[in-house]
Amino acid sequence: MNHTISELIGGARRAVVKIGSSLLIDTQSGGPDTARFEAIAAALASWRKRGLDTVLVSSGAVALGRGRLNLPTGKLPLDQKQAAAAAGQTALMVAWDRALQPHGLPAAQALLTFDDMESRRRWLNARATLDALLAAGAQPVINENDTVATAELRYGDNDRLAARVAQMCDADILVLLSDVDGLYDADPGRSPGARLIAHVSAITPEIEALGGEPGKAGTGTGGMVSKIAAARIAARAGIATIIAAGAQDDPLGRLERGAPHTVFAPETTRATARQNWIAGAVAPRGTLYLDDGAVAALRTGKSLLPAGIVRVDGEFARGETVALAGPDGMPLAKGISAYGADELRRIAGLRSAAVERVLGYRRGAAAIHANDLVLEERA
Ligand code: GLU
């Protein structure tokens, strides 16, 4: 389906906005471009005001740190780059905090590593933290933890990191603000007739070939190649990606009013992507046996409460996929458990109010949220 950009953004509840180094650094001083930080902060605040939460992914640590540590321009050895990231990250967050403060948004830093994003349990923890930050009215600002990330195990570009963050926090849209306003059908530097592609419905090899050389888009490491790679990750997770220019005032407002951009359509819906993922779990790590009441509730699309669980088989951690069966052992559904097996054994059969008393904490009312459940096909 082809939405206009204002429909796409207007219908979103949560967005991940990524901004690249080249937009944030003042080329004269090597320090933060304060006006740019303020423009982005104002745009995020206005989205927030009307109910569109944002998670910001900000590059710029290495570039700012270079200046602070008087390191040379050009490619740095890894240890120096990591040192630059450490020294620049503080300056980056100071700049964001100052820019966001007039809008009543405290900047909240999260530095993520590749491992955080690829290990299920850490992913769940990071997701819960982001949810809590947004609920508390903070502005999450994410970067890769470059200081500890090793060369082989890092994203290296924040485009793909942002796509994974979008997937993790269940965003509707991923906005990559850049020094280019989208994907062109030829190199605009070399071919004056190059045209902006407004809508990409599928990331074909031809589209990928338009990405050109890695690292083309200036100071950052991104370039179009990593933006297309990010769009692909997002598309498969059911999330639309928008590439747009970030250099003007009010870049997000302008985008919404139709400023040039490229939209990469999602390949599937978010619900379907999630359901496919759950349904595709080949070997659930355990089985929950449910009472008749819970079976009926599940069939009408409700969540599974601890009260409806009669028995727990197997060993699994929270966030792992389990099978659900009726009292007779009939396979009923698969789902992602919000609790580990040991926890569930202690709270099976208990009403939600008693769960906290027994465990000393509670992770929401459901043992498995309705969104995390897929019913077996009924014959
Ligand atoms: N994480 C790096 C930084 O903050 C930037 C990566 C990128 O340019 O995408 O400097």
Side-chain angles (χ1 to χ4, degrees):
M1 228 192 323
N2 236 330
H3 290 286
T4 66
I5 191 78
S6 70
E7 283 168 353
L8 183 61
I9 298 174
R13 313 294 305 159
R14 197 174 270 193
V16 169
V17 176
K18 181 260 172 178
I19 177 149
S21 304
S22 58
L23 288 170
L24 295 173
I25 311 301
D26 176 354
T27 39
Q28 297 293 307
S29 68
D33 181 340
T34 317
R36 186 64 46 70
F37 280 80
E38 286 167 359
I40 303 289
L44 297 179
S46 96
W47 274 8
R48 170 74 66 106
K49 232 183 233 142
R50 59 155 222 246
L52 172 50
D53 283 346
T54 61
V55 172
L56 179 65
V57 175
S58 174
S59 307
V62 174
L64 286 172
R66 232 183 239 277
R68 300 186 91 195
L69 301 182
N70 294 317
L71 295 169
T73 49
K75 199 166 157 44
L76 294 174
L78 184 64
D79 57 346
Q80 286 190 18
K81 199 167 167 182
Q82 293 185 310
Q89 184 63 30
T90 51
L92 186 62
M93 287 313 292
V94 167
W96 280 122
D97 206 37
R98 283 201 184 130
L100 289 160
Q101 205 201 349
H103 305 284
L105 290 170
Q109 166 183 281
L111 297 178
L112 299 175
T113 61
F114 187 85
D115 281 347
D116 293 327
M117 307 306 282
E118 309 302 327
S119 129
R120 182 84 196 145
R121 196 180 306 197
R122 290 208 222 169
W123 160 293
L124 283 172
N125 282 337
R127 181 169 82 171
T129 307
L130 287 180
D131 283 344
L133 284 171
L134 289 170
Q139 175 62 59
V141 183
I142 293 180
N143 198 355
E144 185 159 19
N145 196 347
D146 292 314
T147 304
V148 299
T150 52
E152 324 75 70
L153 274 183
R154 62 196 283 271
Y155 290 102
D157 67 81
N158 277 359
D159 296 315
R160 286 177 306 148
L161 174 71
R164 295 291 277 155
V165 169
Q167 193 181 3
M168 179 175 81
C169 71
D170 218 8
D172 308 281
I173 53 173
L174 166 65
V175 182
L176 303 175
L177 292 178
S178 168
D179 48 7
V180 290
D181 49 16
L183 180 67
Y184 281 81
D185 63 2
D187 183 345
R190 280 186 229 154
S191 327
R195 288 209 326 237
L196 185 69
I197 304 174
H199 189 91
V200 175
S201 51
I203 301 171
T204 57
E206 290 74 25
I207 290 291
E208 279 189 325
L210 295 177
E213 302 292 312
K216 266 253 180 93
T219 318
T221 43
M224 236 350 122
V225 171
S226 67
K227 289 189 175 49
I228 294 173
R232 176 191 290 284
I233 294 170
R236 289 185 176 157
I239 300 165
T241 299
I242 305 164
I243 301 179
Q248 299 90 350
D249 273 353
D250 191 18
L252 298 179
R254 289 168 68 104
L255 170 63
E256 224 173 333
R257 293 189 293 275
H261 61 268
T262 299
V263 172
F264 293 80
E267 280 173 22
T268 171
T269 65
R270 299 222 313 289
T272 310
R274 194 164 178 74
Q275 302 248 311
N276 286 344
W277 189 84
I278 298 168
V282 240
R285 308 292 297 266
T287 303
L288 310 184
Y289 293 89
L290 314 184
D291 65 18
D292 288 325
V295 172
L298 248 55
R299 292 215 158 110
T300 58
K302 299 228 169 67
S303 298
L304 172 67
L305 302 179
I309 303 174
V310 266
R311 205 177 90 213
V312 178
D313 276 4
E315 291 311 322
F316 51 89
R318 79 189 178 94
E320 289 190 308
T321 308
V322 293
L324 277 65
D328 48 4
M330 191 117 113
L332 192 71
K334 278 182 198 157
I336 301 174
S337 182
Y339 292 91
D342 291 340
E343 292 171 315
L344 278 185
R345 285 192 184 97
R346 293 170 63 198
I347 61 175
L350 297 185
R351 307 217 151 265
S352 300
V355 167
E356 190 161 355
R357 214 173 340 106
V358 171
L359 293 180
Y361 54 85
R362 197 175 77 138
R363 299 200 185 97
I368 302 185
H369 192 274
N371 292 346
D372 293 337
L373 274 167
V374 182
L375 293 183
E376 299 284 343
E377 225 76 289
R378 269 181 291 160

